[in-house]
């Protein structure tokens, strides 16, 4: 409270005063209000009057515009100032602390004499907060407290003597009348007296050449002339630039002429003096004076485009104990480079004078109340930018850094391992959530900890699971502790193709920050290892043969490691046309059938010039490609992520009305040409949302940051089209120099988040969530019946799922639930996942959102009206949740300010779902490991993958000769290592795939555990692998080269059972000639996918999705057809009868083999009488 009062008293009121019989208006004076007439404005308009039927209070300012806004409420002013304001004011006047009337600020404000004044930040234009306002009230006569002793303020200190040193001058002092009635202010408010300034002292500035100037801050050489020439990027002259001499205070010297030249006499060529040259939208130029003995010199300089600061190092989340120290670091680049850094704790600015920080914040002897959220704000002359929020965790000195009790985590068991105790095929092995914890730290205070610590499994217990005819070992988490984090790497893979027909961009280049980091292959695929400490992955894809428009994408990636796959869509470049540089040229933007162009590009005559600034007058080869938002199929080809940085440093989204890429070249030499004085005419009838018209701007893309930067505003202009048609256009001006991609956009502040999760199956178990799924949202225009084109899209966003799903940004509206809609889709490694159906079954429990909110969101899967459409996306109305509605407060839509609630929402909270179609493969690891999350790896000799940064996948190709497809299993055990011999690493099941050309042949690509070093890298283990077809099968042959290899690399496994095959897995990476396929990669899914593609293809370097059964085979089995009534293992798993019938006598028990056989006999007897239907229970597989 005391702090608030001090803040209020800081603002002094300056009044009209009378000095020596003359009226003097001070710079911040306020005219008095005549409250005699009513005004149509919500604020009183003050005028001078002596017959006021009331009296004005002093000015009050009790709040500042941080947080929600600026609140100058009457009840709060009463609380602080009592009877200095009346109980029932007649009027209210509000101004900013810069003395601008509230009605002139252009901001949305509210006022009432009975309630006061308030301004809300959320009601202002995007990127703008309320100003700091001060208010006063007109009260009835006699209602205010009188203080005759305080009519005048104290005298101010005497001013500086007006004369130069050694001469007589005048000093003045002033005071302010505090009365609210002019008649009381009848004394002098200003006094003066004669003075003589102090004796002149010698100037202490020494000049190596020339003489000291009168201000004693620079050296002057009267006979020297400096000539200069300043150009813009691309060589055009920089006219109107200001040239300063940097002294104690920068001195403006001159401005450049229309040719970009300037002349400055009198400077000294001492090689030390600094000139600063500035021009709007360009980074300042610093020039050092040349050192010469000549009477003249010439300097040349070229501006660089000013760039908004851009964060390249964010502060990291850290954990400490109380009493320890921590450093949080932030780094930003830009043109010019940021020179100021501000740090915030829980949204409150930290005092730089207390913490002595710039880009590095050091906190010593931590207290627990210093825990919370931290971020930095970097600032330069070009703007500001805020970093990502980092969490600082501070625990007590004796507090446990991790919860020692593991959380529940269910794994799926094999199809023949039903658990009676849980009545399911699942077993709880527990896990420790990976999060930063306070581990042992050295004494160094670093931006990044030398050793990062995470909560992980510290103690496991081996248990045996009883299955049908065998036991299955597993390791169950028993205790969690703080330990060193698993080291991982992030990988981005993808495929680049045309948006229109899917043609791959072959052998194109991929750039990161101006450096080529990858190249696409024949099929348009690429792989990129994300450099360490990358905060924002901005890639530019360049087609070497120029079929496609160069495309910049901001790709989300998993910072905790693993690979993420992205489909990159590129626009096909528009066929070039020939322009005459000496003529005015009009180029339409957007060519939708039956629709007018969205806009036109007008290039006046004589506007082209070469890279060196020389005018160009020849023929121009022009290609202008427009991304039309009215064509929804082009949304995935949108450049970047449509974000910009506001003046306050916040990241805000844009809603596009079209992007265009320009390419102008000399027809003869193909030299790239620049263009000045270009006009963009945007048809205002294409802007269906009236509130977007005044905020429309021109933007250009910064290819290094992937952010859009403002080029200019639009202005209204009427044009006549035909004899009777007059249309209004929004006209913007721009120049085309180093940037070639532009956007017609408006900032949009109505934002929400959609909670989405991806699962391995339709069971939607929390433990079966998939990480690394790319979830994309296409923001669509308001639906039919609202004020915008329902066929247009406005924005495209992508995020990836983590351990708790994903929160995808989208536009929303709280007044009209149908005003915005979103089209949501998800993919994993290029495979599209399915959304939950909406027709004919509409199940809120399956969709993941309860009623009645689900009906309000109007959930529809893409095949809702046409079953022929793919089932891989859904559409919803973006109805913003109402704050006071309980059923809408728990997801799946979250207000933008509730991002934390969205990210931390439990699986039980409402969310939308995608899932994988269950395949014919099953993996079981004795030591549980989630391949989506490399940080879930556990140090254990029985770990399937011995190294978390190197994953080696091995497959063997098994051919099945027989009329049916069968399930094939591999049992993988320790073979030669003393710690693992005879112990199970895991099992793999896969169903054979039918050969397209041979009706009685199928094949299976079966994974087995590769031989090699275990996690301690001490000695090799030759894995003992058993290949078991689960049916009536007989081994027919073994690949001769594989057999010879195994014979020559002892020991040799015993193979007495002809229904299976046993081997000690080879150490060498054998190829297709042996029927063995081995691939090593830094991501397990990538390694398996590549190896599987080679196995299907039967080659060591190819890939196929079609099984080729006659090439690259290791083992061949002959399998006879099952007797009537028997199913395959996967049919058994999926059938309702796979679970035991719920009877009173046998609840929770699996039927015995005798019962199963009796059931089949009874079924066959019934089939002899009834229609031939299969009603029996499947028999258990014979082999394990």
């Amino acid at each position: 409270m005391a702090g608030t009062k001090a803040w209020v008293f800081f603002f002094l009121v300056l009044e009209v005063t009378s000095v020596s019989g003359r009226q003097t208006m001070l710079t911040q004076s306020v005219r008095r209000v005549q409250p005699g007439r009513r005004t149509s404005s919500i604020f009183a308009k003050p005028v001078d009057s002596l017959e006021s039927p009331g009296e004005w209070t002093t000015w009050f300012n009790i709040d500042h515009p941080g947080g929600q806004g600026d609140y100058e409420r009457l009840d709060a002013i009463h609380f602080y100032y009592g009877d200095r304001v009346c109980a029932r004011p007649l009027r209210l006047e509000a101004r900013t602390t810069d003395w601008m009337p509230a009605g002139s600020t252009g901001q949305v404000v509210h006022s009432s004499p009975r309630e006061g004044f308030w301004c809300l930040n959320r009601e202002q234009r995007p990127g703008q907060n309320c100003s700091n306002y001060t208010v006063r009230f007109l009260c009835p006569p006699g209602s205010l407290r009188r203080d005759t002793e305080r009519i005048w303020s104290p005298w101010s200190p005497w001013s500086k003597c007006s004369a130069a040193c050694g001469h007589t001058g005048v000093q003045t002092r002033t005071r302010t009348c505090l009365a609210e009635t002019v008649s009381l202010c009848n004394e002098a408010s200003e006094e003066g007296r004669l003075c003589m300034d102090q004796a002149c002292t010698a100037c202490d500035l020494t000049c190596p050449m020339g003489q000291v100037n009168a201000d004693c801050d620079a050296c002057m050489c009267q006979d020297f002339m400096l000539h200069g020439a300043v150009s813009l990027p691309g060589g055009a002259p920089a006219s109107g630039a200001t040239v300063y001499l940097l002294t104690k205070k920068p001195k403006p010297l001159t401005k450049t002429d229309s040719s970009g030249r300037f002349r400055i006499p009198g400077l000294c060529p001492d090689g030390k003096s600094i000139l600063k040259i500035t021009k709007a939208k360009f980074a300042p130029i610093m020039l050092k004076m040349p050192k010469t003995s000549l009477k003249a010199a010439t300097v040349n300089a070229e501006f660089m485009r000013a760039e908004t600061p851009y964060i390249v190092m964010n502060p990291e989340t850290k954990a400490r104990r109380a009493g320890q120290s921590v450093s949080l670091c932030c780094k930003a680049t830009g043109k010019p480079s940021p020179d100021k850094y501000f740090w915030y704790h829980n949204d409150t600015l930290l005092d730089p004078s207390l913490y002595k920080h710039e880009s590095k914040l050091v906190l010593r002897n931590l207290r627990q109340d210093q825990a919370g959220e931290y971020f930095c704000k970097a600032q330069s002359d070009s703007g500001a930018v805020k970093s990502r929020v980092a969490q600082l965790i501070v625990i007590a000195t004796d507090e446990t850094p991790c919860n020692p009790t593991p959380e529940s985590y269910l794994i799926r068991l094999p199809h023949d391992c039903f658990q009676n105790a849980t009545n399911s095929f699942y077993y709880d092995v527990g896990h420790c959530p990976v999060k930063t914890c306070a581990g042992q730290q050295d004494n160094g205070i670093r931006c990044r900890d030398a050793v990062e610590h995470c909560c992980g499994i510290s103690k496991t217990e081996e248990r045996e699971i009883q299955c049908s005819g065998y036991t299955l070992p597993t390791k169950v988490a028993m205790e969690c502790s703080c330990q060193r984090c698993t080291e991982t790497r992030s990988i981005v893979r993808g495929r680049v193709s045309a948006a229109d027909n899917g043609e791959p961009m072959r052998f194109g280049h991929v750039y990161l920050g101006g450096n080529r980091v990858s190249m696409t292959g024949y099929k348009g695929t690429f792989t990129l290892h994300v450099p360490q400490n990358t905060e924002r992955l901005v890639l530019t894809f360049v087609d070497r043969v120029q079929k496609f428009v160069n495309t910049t994408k901001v790709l989300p990636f998993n910072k905790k490691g693993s690979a993420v796959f992205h489909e990159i869509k590129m626009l096909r470049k528009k066929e070039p046309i020939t322009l005459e540089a000496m003529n005015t040229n009009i180029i339409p933007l957007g060519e939708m059938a039956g629709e007018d162009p969205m806009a036109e590009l007008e290039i006046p005559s004589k506007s082209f010039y070469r890279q060196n600034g020389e005018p160009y007058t020849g023929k121009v080869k022009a290609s202008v490609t427009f991304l039309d938002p009215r064509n929804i199929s082009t949304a995935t080809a949108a450049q970047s992520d449509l974000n910009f940085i506001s003046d306050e440093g916040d990241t805000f989204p844009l809603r596009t009305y079209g992007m265009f890429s320009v390419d102008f070249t000399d027809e003869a030499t193909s030299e790239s040409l620049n263009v000045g004085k270009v006009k963009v005419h945007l048809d205002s009838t294409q802007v269906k949302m009236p509130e977007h018209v005044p905020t429309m701007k021109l933007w250009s893309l910064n290819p290094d940051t992937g952010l859009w930067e403002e080029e200019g505003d639009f202005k209204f202009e009427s044009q006549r089209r035909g004899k009777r048609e007059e249309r209004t256009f929004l006209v913007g001006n721009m120049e085309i120099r180093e940037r070639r991609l532009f956007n017609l956009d408006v900032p949009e502040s109505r934002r929400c988040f959609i909670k989405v999760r991806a699962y391995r199956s339709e069971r939607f178990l929390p433990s079966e969530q998939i990480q690394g799924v790319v979830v994309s949202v296409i923001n669509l225009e308001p639906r039919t019946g609202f004020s915008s084109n329902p066929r247009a899209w406005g924005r495209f966003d992508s995020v990836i799922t983590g351990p708790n799903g994903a929160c995808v940004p989208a536009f929303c509206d709280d007044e009209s639930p149908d005003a915005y809609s979103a089209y949501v889709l998800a993919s994993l490694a290029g495979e599209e996942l399915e959304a939950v159906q909406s027709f004919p079954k509409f199940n809120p429990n399956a969709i993941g959102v309860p009623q009645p909110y689900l009906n309000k969101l109007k959930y529809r899967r893409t095949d809702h009206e046409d079953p022929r459409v793919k089932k891989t996306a859904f559409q919803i109305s973006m109805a913003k949740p109402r704050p006071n509605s309980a059923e809408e407060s728990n997801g799946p839509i979250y207000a933008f300010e509730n991002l934390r609630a969205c990210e931390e929402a439990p699986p039980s909270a409402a969310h939308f779902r995608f899932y994988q179609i269950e395949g014919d493969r099953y993996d079981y690891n004795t030591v549980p490991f989630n391949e989506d999350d490399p940080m879930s790896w556990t140090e254990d000799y029985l770990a399937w993958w011995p190294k978390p940064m190197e994953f080696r996948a091995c497959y063997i190709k098994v051919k099945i000769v027989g009329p049916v497809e069968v399930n094939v299993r591999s049992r993988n055990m320790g073979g030669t290592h003393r710690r693992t011999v005879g112990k199970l690493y895991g099992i793999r099941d896969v169903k054979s795939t039918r050969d397209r050309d041979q009706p009685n042949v199928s094949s299976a690509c079966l994974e087995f555990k590769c031989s090699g070093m275990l996690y301690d890298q001490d000695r090799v283990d030759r894995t003992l692998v058993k290949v078991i077809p689960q049916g009536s099968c007989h081994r027919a042959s073994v690949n001769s080269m594989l057999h010879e290899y195994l014979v020559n690399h002892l020991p040799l496994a015993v193979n007495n059972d002809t229904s299976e095959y046993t081997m000690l897995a080879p150490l060498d990476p054998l190829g297709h000639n042996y029927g063995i396929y081995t691939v090593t990669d830094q991501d397990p899914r990538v390694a398996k996918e590549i190896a599987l593609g080679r196995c299907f293809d039967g080659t060591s370097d190819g890939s196929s999705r079609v099984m080729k059964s006659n090439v690259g085979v290791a083992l061949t089995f002959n399998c006879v057809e099952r007797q009537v009534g028997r199913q395959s293992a996967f049919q058994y798993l999926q059938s309702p009868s796979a679970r035991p019938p719920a009877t009173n006598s046998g609840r929770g028990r699996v039927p015995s083999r005798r019962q199963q056989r009796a059931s089949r006999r009874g079924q066959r007897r019934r089939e002899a009488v009834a229609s031939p239907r299969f009603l029996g229970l499947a028999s258990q597989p014979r082999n394990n």
Side-chain angles (χ1 to χ4, degrees), residues 365-429:
N365 195 22
L366 283 168
R367 305 182 309 274
Q368 287 190 269
D369 62 358
Q370 290 179 291
E373 297 180 341
Y374 288 83
F375 69 88
C376 86
K377 178 179 175 181
Q379 189 169 308
S380 74
D381 292 341
S382 299
V385 64
K386 293 178 181 177
S387 73
R388 191 180 65 235
V389 173
Q391 196 79 14
L392 177 61
I393 303 166
V394 182
I395 63 173
T397 54
D398 56 349
E399 186 177 347
T400 303
C402 299
N403 183 358
T405 305
E407 294 183 359
S408 175
Y409 186 77
L410 300 178
I411 61 169
R412 183 105 193 256
L413 299 178
H415 64 86
D416 51 359
C417 201
F418 184 81
Q419 298 298 293
N420 294 332
T422 60
N423 196 33
S424 72
F425 285 96
Y426 289 89
Y427 194 85
D428 191 348
V429 297

Side-chain angles (χ1 to χ4, degrees), residues 469-485:
Y470 66 99
T471 60
L472 197 62
T474 188
K475 294 287 186 79
V476 178
M478 300 301 294
E479 187 175 304
C480 305
S481 68
C482 189
Q483 53 195 260
R484 186 169 184 163
C485 297

Side-chain angles (χ1 to χ4, degrees), residues 7-266:
W7 175 266
V8 173
F9 286 121
F10 176 79
F11 297 95
L12 300 178
V13 182
L14 303 180
E15 305 288 357
V16 181
T17 57
S18 175
V19 182
S20 302
R22 68 182 189 277
Q23 295 292 324
T24 303
M25 181 69 73
L26 300 181
T27 57
Q28 289 185 317
S29 65
V30 179
R31 291 185 300 160
R32 301 194 182 278
V33 176
Q34 179 183 4
R37 294 193 300 267
R38 296 181 62 86
T39 173
S40 59
S41 170
I42 63 172
F43 304 108
K45 297 180 179 179
V47 295
D48 293 329
S49 175
L50 296 178
E51 293 90 16
S52 172
E55 51 188 337
W56 286 97
T57 68
T58 188
W59 291 92
F60 300 106
N61 185 343
I62 63 170
D63 192 21
H64 62 90
Q68 301 296 320
D70 192 359
Y71 295 85
E72 308 295 339
R73 304 301 295 260
L74 180 60
D75 53 356
I77 294 173
H78 265 300
F79 177 80
Y80 287 115
Y81 297 102
D83 54 3
R84 291 186 62 182
V85 63
C86 53
R88 295 179 177 273
L90 303 175
R91 295 185 188 176
L92 174 151
E93 182 182 359
R95 295 177 179 247
T96 69
T97 53
D98 294 327
W99 303 102
M100 177 184 291
S104 303
T105 62
Q107 295 185 339
V108 178
V109 295
H110 310 269
S111 93
S112 164
R114 299 298 175 88
E115 296 182 22
F117 173 92
W118 63 98
C119 174
L120 304 179
N121 289 335
R122 60 182 172 83
E123 294 181 344
Q124 311 313 316
R125 299 174 68 176
Q128 184 185 63
N129 283 344
C130 295
S131 299
N132 194 5
Y133 287 93
T134 180
V135 298
R136 68 175 183 171
F137 299 89
L138 181 68
C139 292
S143 61
L144 292 180
R145 183 186 70 186
R146 284 284 166 215
D147 189 353
T148 55
E149 297 178 359
R150 292 296 307 277
I151 294 177
W152 292 95
S153 68
W155 287 103
S156 69
W158 290 103
S159 67
K160 185 179 179 181
C161 191
S162 62
C165 60
H167 294 79
T168 301
V170 176
Q171 281 182 301
T172 62
R173 66 177 183 175
T174 62
R175 62 177 179 171
T176 302
C177 182
L178 303 179
E180 295 300 325
T181 303
V182 176
S183 60
L184 298 176
C185 303
N186 52 9
E187 301 179 17
S189 61
E190 184 175 1
E191 291 182 341
R193 70 180 183 185
L194 296 177
C195 63
M196 179 176 289
D197 202 7
Q198 60 185 355
C200 298
T201 58
C203 178
D204 59 356
L205 178 65
T206 302
C207 291
M209 61 173 63
Q211 297 178 347
V212 178
N213 65 354
D215 294 331
C216 189
D217 57 8
C219 297
M220 309 301 294
C221 297
Q222 300 299 330
D223 56 350
F224 181 80
M225 179 67 70
L226 178 69
H227 300 267
V230 187
S231 61
L232 299 176
S239 60
T242 304
V243 184
Y244 296 87
L245 175 64
L246 291 187
T247 58
K248 296 177 182 178
K249 184 178 180 180
K251 286 188 173 183
L253 301 178
T254 186
K255 286 183 176 288
T256 57
D257 60 19
S258 59
S259 301
R261 299 183 179 278
F262 64 86
R263 297 170 66 250
I264 303 175

